[in-house]
Amino acid sequence: MVIPNEILPVAQRPCFEGAYYRKLVSSHDYWRGIEGTVILPAIVFDEDRKHPKKPGQYLDNPSIYVGGSMGNQETDIGLTWEVVREENGQISKQRKAFRPFLRRTEHASGQKAIFENAPTQKEYYWYPGEEVKMSLVLLADKKVRFVVEGAGKKFEKDFDCDGYLLNTVGEFNRVNAID
């Protein structure tokens, strides 16, 4: 299908060093968001790659996320393999479930870079084999909404991003990564 005035994506882009990932990126155009559905992967860790400073954790950490870039500000927002709060109230030493995270870079407006996780609550834990739908939508100037839902659970958060403006071109992406 031909879309009038559509800007096509470039054929290839350089990769971020230090991670293994598959990244699908839109063209640089007037987008308002991205959504997708995925079955969370089964994970088999390399026993020779344990984290020397965090017993019970591995150096490799899988994540599945969406994000974008507008106004010289980037976002990565999705699910990463994380620690959980155990039934006894303690935080696990091992990563045991996919949990939502939100990351943005700083912006020329003075907005600071930030990385945050969803609370360590079981209603925000997803597990390998579960199907989830993720979306990231530009709601208004400087405001995006992230939603992940599936397996009877839902996490939703509005997130401030000064570079994301309704009348600005940008790009959105979907990433499967091992960091």
Side-chain angles (χ1 to χ4, degrees):
M1 177 174 124
V2 176
I3 300 172
N5 301 317
E6 178 183 17
I7 299 169
L8 297 176
V10 296
Q12 188 172 341
R13 300 170 63 130
C15 292
F16 174 77
E17 299 205 16
Y20 176 80
Y21 62 95
R22 170 100 171 135
K23 182 176 187 176
L24 302 171
V25 182
S26 73
S27 62
H28 200 73
D29 209 336
Y30 290 95
W31 300 109
R32 296 296 169 254
I34 186 170
E35 74 175 22
T37 301
V38 64
I39 296 176
L40 296 173
I43 306 164
V44 178
F45 290 101
D46 182 344
E47 292 298 320
D48 293 331
R49 293 189 45 79
K50 290 189 175 178
H51 199 299
K53 296 180 182 177
K54 295 183 180 179
Q57 292 189 22
Y58 295 88
L59 292 171
D60 303 315
N61 191 47
S63 56
I64 297 174
Y65 55 94
V66 293
S69 178
M70 285 184 130
N72 293 317
Q73 185 174 43
E74 286 188 21
T75 57
D76 293 325
I77 301 175
L79 295 171
T80 190
W81 193 242
E82 258 303 342
V83 296
V84 300
R85 185 172 305 281
E86 303 282 13
E87 292 295 322
N88 66 7
Q90 298 296 311
I91 299 296
S92 64
K93 295 198 182 317
Q94 299 90 2
R95 294 175 174 142
K96 294 185 172 186
F98 286 98
R99 239 175 73 211
F101 74 94
L102 300 100
R103 182 192 73 83
R104 69 165 186 250
T105 60
E106 64 186 13
H107 187 259
S109 67
Q111 187 177 52
K112 303 292 185 201
I114 190 171
F115 181 95
E116 63 182 56
N117 285 99
T120 51
Q121 298 170 215
K122 63 183 175 182
E123 61 265 28
Y124 303 136
Y125 304 158
W126 281 270
Y127 298 95
E130 291 182 335
E131 183 175 283
V132 297
K133 178 180 175 183
M134 283 192 280
S135 64
L136 180 63
V137 177
L138 180 57
L139 293 177
D141 284 351
K142 304 180 182 184
K143 182 81 65 184
V144 297
R145 175 173 290 155
F146 171 61
V147 179
V148 59
E149 57 188 320
K153 298 167 271 191
K154 181 177 182 178
F155 176 81
E156 181 175 320
K157 180 161 183 169
D158 291 353
F159 196 57
D160 294 329
C161 297
D162 283 0
Y164 284 62
L165 304 172
L166 292 169
N167 65 352
T168 302
V169 296
E171 61 188 28
F172 283 88
N173 58 62
R174 180 197 180 278
V175 182
N176 292 5
I178 300 173
D179 298 314

